[in-house]
């Protein structure tokens, strides 16, 4: 069983349209061992976002800002990292974003790429207050909070490659779609 499953999971390439920026730089920027409550709040919001995406049956991958700075690029209305190509980028509730990620997002939205940012949106770039970040995020869809309805409606007009329809509302139905020989498996 595991041999056949491993074989199938190694064929072709994974198909995922949504990239979620990991808020690690926000946690780094505010963490203190004396009181880690603000860092925990960002982490809890992040986990809530991931669970909401799972409940909506929207597959996603996490984007590490260091890897994005080294290997990320924009081609048309897509962000490309290696063999992966993303139609949508979600910026979770966060306080900080790297300048290289911000540059990618600016180019991505200029080319018609879709960015969804959830409040609180970053106020710092590379750990320094940056007042013009709202100008850069103005082409994004800004959500006041993480909810199934707001996230679902903000992604509704985007043609996602894989859609799973299910009566599962707990996020227990997980998926992993791969493209192999012009077929989805």
């Amino acid at each position: 069983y595991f041999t056949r499953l491993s074989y199938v999971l190694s064929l072709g390439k994974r198909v995922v349209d949504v990239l979620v920026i990991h808020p690690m730089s926000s946690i780094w920027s505010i963490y203190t061992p004396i009181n880690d409550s603000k860092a925990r709040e960002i982490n809890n919001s992040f986990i809530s976002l991931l669970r909401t995406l799972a409940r909506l049956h929207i597959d996603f991958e996490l984007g590490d800002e260091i890897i994005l700075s080294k290997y990320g690029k924009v081609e048309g209305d897509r962000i490309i990292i290696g063999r992966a190509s993303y139609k949508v980028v979600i910026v979770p509730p966060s306080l900080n974003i790297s300048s290289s990620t911000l540059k990618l997002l600016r180019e991505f939205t200029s080319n018609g790429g879709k960015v969804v940012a959830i409040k609180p949106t970053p106020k710092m770039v590379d750990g320094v207050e940056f007042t013009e970040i709202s100008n850069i995020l103005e082409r994004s869809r800004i959500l006041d909070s993480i909810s199934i309805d707001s996230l679902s409606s903000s992604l509704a007009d985007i043609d996602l490659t894989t859609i799973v329809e299910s009566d599962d509302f707990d996020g227990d139905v997980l998926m992993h779609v791969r493209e192999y020989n012009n077929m989805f498996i």
Side-chain angles (χ1 to χ4, degrees), residues 66-165:
I66 295 171
I67 291 175
L68 274 169
S69 70
K70 289 182 181 179
Y71 304 108
K73 63 183 176 181
V74 175
E75 289 182 5
D77 63 351
R78 303 281 182 115
I79 283 192
I80 309 295
I81 305 167
R83 293 181 0 171
S85 170
Y86 305 98
K87 295 179 181 179
V88 181
V89 175
I90 298 177
V91 179
S94 50
L95 303 172
N96 184 68
I97 196 165
S98 75
S99 56
S100 58
T101 301
L102 197 57
K103 181 181 174 189
L104 274 174
L105 293 179
R106 182 184 296 138
E107 185 180 352
F108 181 58
T109 57
S110 294
N111 289 352
K114 307 293 186 210
V115 174
V116 175
I118 303 161
K119 289 183 180 178
T121 57
K123 303 286 185 237
M124 296 186 292
V125 174
D126 295 332
V128 177
E129 290 286 329
F130 188 70
T131 56
E132 297 167 22
I133 199 163
S134 60
N135 298 339
I136 295 165
L137 291 176
E138 70 186 8
R139 289 190 217 130
S140 303
R141 297 171 186 182
I142 309 286
L143 304 181
D144 289 326
S145 64
I146 300 167
S147 73
I148 288 180
D149 293 336
S150 65
L151 205 52
S152 178
S153 64
S154 68
L155 298 174
D157 66 331
I158 299 167
D159 183 27
L160 299 175
T161 305
T162 56
I163 298 171
V164 172
E165 294 183 17

Side-chain angles (χ1 to χ4, degrees), residues 10-16 83-85 176-180 183-185:
S10 69
L11 295 174
K13 74 172 195 165
R14 187 156 181 226
V15 179
V16 180
R83 293 181 0 171
S85 170
H176 179 101
V177 178
R178 302 187 74 81
E179 185 177 2
Y180 178 70
M183 297 182 334
F184 293 114
I185 56 172

Side-chain angles (χ1 to χ4, degrees), residues 1-13 176 178 180 185:
Y1 173 80
F2 286 107
T3 302
R4 285 178 275 161
L5 180 63
S6 295
Y7 172 71
V8 169
L9 292 176
S10 69
L11 295 174
K13 74 172 195 165
H176 179 101
R178 302 187 74 81
Y180 178 70
I185 56 172

Side-chain angles (χ1 to χ4, degrees), residues 54-67:
R55 286 184 186 106
L56 289 169
H57 306 110
I58 295 173
D59 201 5
F60 60 89
E61 290 184 336
L62 301 179
D64 179 272
E65 291 188 273
I66 295 171
I67 291 175

